[in-house]
Amino acid sequence: MIGEQALTAHDMALREMIALQQQQMRGLLALEGDIHQLTIPQARRELLAQQVNSLLNVSERMYRQLREEYEQFQRYANHQHTLLGDLEEEVINTRLLPISNLFATLPRAVRELSHETGKEINLVIHGEETELDRKLLEALSDPLLHIVRNAIDHGIEPPDLRTERGKPLKGLIEVRAEATSGKVRITVRDDGRGIDPQRMRHVAVQRGLVNAEHAARLTDREALDLIFLPGFTTATLITDISGRGVGMDVVRTNISELSGQVLLESQLGEGTTITLLLPMTLVTTRVVLVQVGTQMFGLPAAGCQGIVWVYQSDIYPIEGQSTMYYDGRTVPVVTLADLLVIEARPLFALDERMPAVLLGDGQRLVAMLVERIIDEREAVIKPVGPLIERQRVYSGAIQLGDGRVVLLLNPMVLLQAASGIWGTPAEAPTEIENQYHLLIADDSFTTRELVRSILQSAGYQVTAAVDGRDALDKLRTHPYDLVVSDVEMPRLDGFQLTASIRQELGLKELPVIIVTSLASDEHKRRGMEVGAQAYIVKSQFNQDNLLRTIEQLLGR
């Protein structure tokens, strides 16, 4: 691909050389005519004419030679183009595998989750013969399982509630794959309770992800997209199945890194559909090259909904936000320079209009102003190093035919930043990690010290209690930010401790995490009834889950 771009650059250079040679010949011919008009001695005139004629002959020979070289180069370039096309097709065909390899793990996962949640699920799969790039299949395993988990845990109602609502006893989860125009569309649809936009606003504000004023301004469509915020979850109790607030954020991040999109549609009481739009292969990607200031960036064409001219007179403010009217609706207008915090010329400094790239999913659009649209081309995406990888706005890099390296931007991260969907936290935490004081309650010395070591290594201040009664006494004399408790303890077990925290001490908002070997649904329901916010089973325990759950409950 880089070689083909280099050939294209050479082709353009040869064309320019031929054009310059023609311009030179026209200049010499004009000079020859002017010489005959000069009032100079005849001998001098003839000498000048002879010299110009000699230059014309040299110029004509150079032009013919350039034309011959260009035609030969054209034949070579066309041959190379054919070979590269055949090679690309062969490479793509060797990488394509049926999506049934990905779907094969779903029936067992659904059976296990159905048993754990006490729900009856009917899984229907379509389009197993659809082919997809092997690397995409490998990367889709976890995101697809996240979506199915959420559909079962959050979407499908319990059997008794489905009966009350006149729905079939078995919940339906339909997974479908289809290929269209070089893309693959994977949809996961359930016939569950759907998503309530008002509840999404409430939970986002409650968890400090957006402030109340921003949440109130969100449309129902934008409120649904809150599900993709890091740390967002509507689960009442955090468990090993769901509620840790990492699922849908991980899905969108992973799909964006694959140059894909995640679309969400939901109807309250009817169900939810999540659609993954992906390129069929990662061998090459269509990339739009844009310029801002002195820098060039790439955008995956799949993440761009179009390119439009924006006139200065088209922009008008609404509540402090620059907007424009496009396709029958109001669209926010931002600049790529502002999003990347880089220097650029003032807006409309060179012309009364500027090009803008439309980012979004068709339902939510943002017009992003750039200084220049350079080109759209096929490119091979290269991974970036770990230092740049942590900057989520960059999803890779491409090399141009002249050797320059251009960073590829993540359209979804730009869209989230441009839309302000991250919002302003209601109360941004100002404490540093070691100011959080955590209380551990466990009668096992080994377990207690293990958890204490994990939390202290993460920077938390930790106090340990030998059982529930000891923990309750400590809570009466000292404020804590979070409690981690075992269930089976003498004098006062974890359930009784949690109930006492809520009722006796009146600490309704103090986060409580139960870590226990009791894994039944009955015990999990008991934990939720007494007021625990998280329930982690020891057999599935790992320190990453514990630390992530603590960070979420502390609103960090």
Side-chain angles (χ1 to χ4, degrees):
M1 187 61 62
I2 296 173
E4 191 168 7
Q5 291 176 8
L7 289 176
T8 302
H10 286 308
D11 182 88
M12 293 177 63
L14 282 172
R15 285 174 179 269
E16 186 175 352
M17 289 173 67
I18 290 173
L20 289 172
Q21 190 64 39
Q22 289 177 313
Q23 183 179 346
Q24 183 187 54
M25 289 178 64
R26 286 194 296 269
L28 289 172
L29 287 171
L31 179 59
E32 186 180 39
D34 291 340
I35 288 174
H36 292 292
Q37 305 298 323
L38 294 176
T39 55
I40 57 176
Q42 181 67 23
R44 181 64 176 165
R45 184 185 299 111
E46 288 177 357
L47 179 61
L48 286 174
Q50 185 179 358
Q51 290 174 338
V52 170
N53 187 59
S54 177
L55 289 174
L56 272 170
N57 290 335
V58 172
S59 183
E60 187 176 354
R61 287 199 304 272
M62 288 179 62
Y63 174 74
R64 285 199 303 268
Q65 188 170 348
L66 273 174
R67 289 294 308 180
E68 290 173 3
E69 289 294 325
Y70 177 68
E71 289 170 3
Q72 186 175 349
F73 174 80
Q74 280 268 321
R75 290 192 292 270
Y76 170 77
N78 290 336
H79 179 63
Q80 288 295 106
H81 179 75
T82 302
L83 288 178
L84 289 171
D86 293 342
L87 178 60
E88 181 181 345
E89 187 175 348
E90 289 294 328
V91 170
I92 290 174
N93 288 335
T94 58
R95 292 172 62 99
L96 292 179
L97 293 173
I99 207 168
S100 57
N101 295 329
L102 174 65
F103 289 170
T105 61
L106 293 181
R108 180 180 176 181
V110 169
R111 284 195 303 270
E112 292 176 352
L113 292 169
S114 177
H115 175 72
E116 290 179 32
T117 58
K119 299 174 182 178
E120 297 187 47
I121 307 295
N122 180 26
L123 175 66
V124 179
I125 296 177
H126 302 281
E128 294 178 275
E129 70 285 352
T130 304
E131 292 186 319
L132 194 60
D133 191 292
R134 181 173 62 252
K135 186 176 179 181
L136 284 166
L137 287 176
E138 294 169 356
L140 279 174
S141 180
D142 286 343
L144 187 61
L145 187 57
H146 272 307
I147 295 172
V148 173
R149 280 177 176 268
N150 279 350
I152 295 174
D153 201 40
H154 295 292
I156 302 296
E157 308 95 330
D160 54 347
L161 187 56
R162 290 183 65 85
T163 302
E164 287 180 17
R165 294 178 175 177
K167 293 184 176 182
L169 191 64
K170 282 190 174 183
L172 173 66
I173 294 181
E174 185 178 7
V175 181
R176 181 184 298 272
E178 54 186 344
T180 55
S181 303
K183 294 183 181 180
V184 172
R185 177 188 297 265
I186 301 174
T187 57
V188 180
R189 182 180 70 85
D190 69 69
D191 67 343
R193 55 171 57 92
I195 302 175
D196 183 356
Q198 187 54 39
R199 184 168 181 236
M200 301 291 284
R201 296 184 183 94
H202 174 73
V203 171
V205 172
Q206 188 180 48
R207 294 188 178 275
L209 300 175
V210 297
N211 60 37
E213 181 183 356
H214 177 76
R217 291 201 304 267
L218 294 176
T219 64
D220 286 352
R221 172 67 256 171
E222 292 171 334
L224 292 181
D225 280 345
L226 291 170
I227 197 173
F228 297 109
L229 290 179
F232 183 91
T233 178
T234 58
T236 307
L237 180 68
I238 299 175
T239 69
D240 50 288
I241 297 178
S242 67
R244 295 190 301 272
V246 298
M248 293 312 296
D249 175 49
V250 168
V251 169
R252 175 163 278 186
T253 299
N254 289 357
I255 298 303
S256 296
E257 290 173 353
L258 298 172
S259 300
Q261 292 178 273
V262 183
L263 309 180
L264 172 67
E265 296 178 8
S266 186
Q267 187 172 352
L268 192 59
E270 299 296 329
T272 300
T273 301
I274 294 178
T275 302
L276 309 180
L277 284 177
L278 296 152
M280 187 176 292
T281 177
L282 292 178
V283 173
T284 60
T285 301
R286 295 294 295 177
V287 172
V288 178
L289 297 178
V290 301
Q291 182 177 328
V292 178
T294 59
Q295 301 184 53
M296 188 188 306
F297 298 96
L299 285 160
C304 305
Q305 298 300 313
I307 297 171
V308 297
W309 283 108
V310 177
Y311 289 82
Q312 190 169 8
S313 57
D314 293 339
I315 299 177
Y316 57 95
I318 296 181
E319 297 182 356
Q321 169 69 61
S322 296
T323 62
M324 61 177 284
Y325 198 66
Y326 173 78
D327 197 24
R329 54 179 160 170
T330 300
V331 175
V333 178
V334 297
T335 68
L336 180 56
D338 288 342
L339 296 180
L340 299 180
V341 195
I342 58 176
E343 292 186 5
R345 295 187 183 92
L347 292 180
F348 304 99
L350 301 178
D351 198 350
E352 63 178 2
R353 65 178 188 175
M354 290 182 69
V357 179
L358 296 174
L359 302 179
D361 54 16
Q363 297 169 325
R364 178 167 55 103
L365 286 179
V366 168
M368 184 178 69
L369 295 173
V370 297
E371 290 186 16
R372 188 160 70 98
I373 303 292
I374 298 173
D375 192 12
E376 180 179 348
R377 63 181 64 176
E378 292 280 346
V380 178
I381 309 300
K382 302 291 185 181
V384 291
L387 183 62
I388 297 180
E389 201 171 50
R390 285 195 290 269
Q391 307 296 321
R392 293 179 58 223
V393 71
Y394 303 114
S395 60
I398 61 175
Q399 184 176 355
L400 304 182
D402 57 7
R404 285 181 295 170
V405 175
V406 174
L407 288 172
L408 189 70
L409 301 172
N410 188 326
M412 194 53 61
V413 174
L414 292 175
L415 179 65
Q416 290 168 341
S419 301
I421 198 165
W422 297 110
T424 303
E427 293 182 6
T430 57
E431 302 92 345
I432 58 175
E433 287 183 4
N434 60 14
Q435 288 180 314
Y436 286 112
H437 197 169
L438 278 51
L439 177 65
I440 303 170
D442 199 306
D443 62 323
S444 167
F445 174 80
T446 303
T447 303
R448 192 168 62 241
E449 291 307 306
L450 171 64
V451 175
R452 185 209 294 266
S453 175
I454 291 172
L455 298 182
Q456 285 180 337
S457 297
Y460 295 107
Q461 184 180 350
V462 181
T463 298
V466 297
D467 58 29
R469 178 62 61 188
D470 185 26
L472 198 60
D473 291 340
K474 285 179 166 57
L475 284 163
R476 286 193 178 98
T477 59
H478 192 282
Y480 294 91
D481 298 296
L482 183 140
V483 175
V484 179
S485 175
D486 186 22
V487 170
E488 298 174 293
M489 297 182 293
R491 297 201 294 170
L492 199 70
D493 66 27
F495 293 143
Q496 294 169 330
L497 170 61
T498 305
S500 297
I501 290 172
R502 302 299 182 223
Q503 299 167 13
E504 184 180 339
L505 302 183
L507 300 174
K508 304 292 186 183
E509 303 300 324
L510 178 65
V512 176
I513 300 174
I514 290 178
V515 181
T516 178
S517 57
L518 303 175
S520 70
D521 290 341
E522 180 183 352
H523 287 106
K524 291 178 182 178
R525 282 195 294 272
R526 176 91 185 276
M528 183 169 59
E529 288 168 0
V530 297
Q533 279 97 339
Y535 194 102
I536 299 176
V537 179
K538 287 183 179 179
S539 61
Q540 298 162 337
F541 173 85
N542 68 65
Q543 69 178 43
D544 288 339
N545 279 354
L546 176 62
L547 293 175
R548 193 184 299 120
T549 301
I550 289 173
E551 289 176 357
Q552 180 187 341
L553 292 177
L554 291 176
R556 291 178 45 218

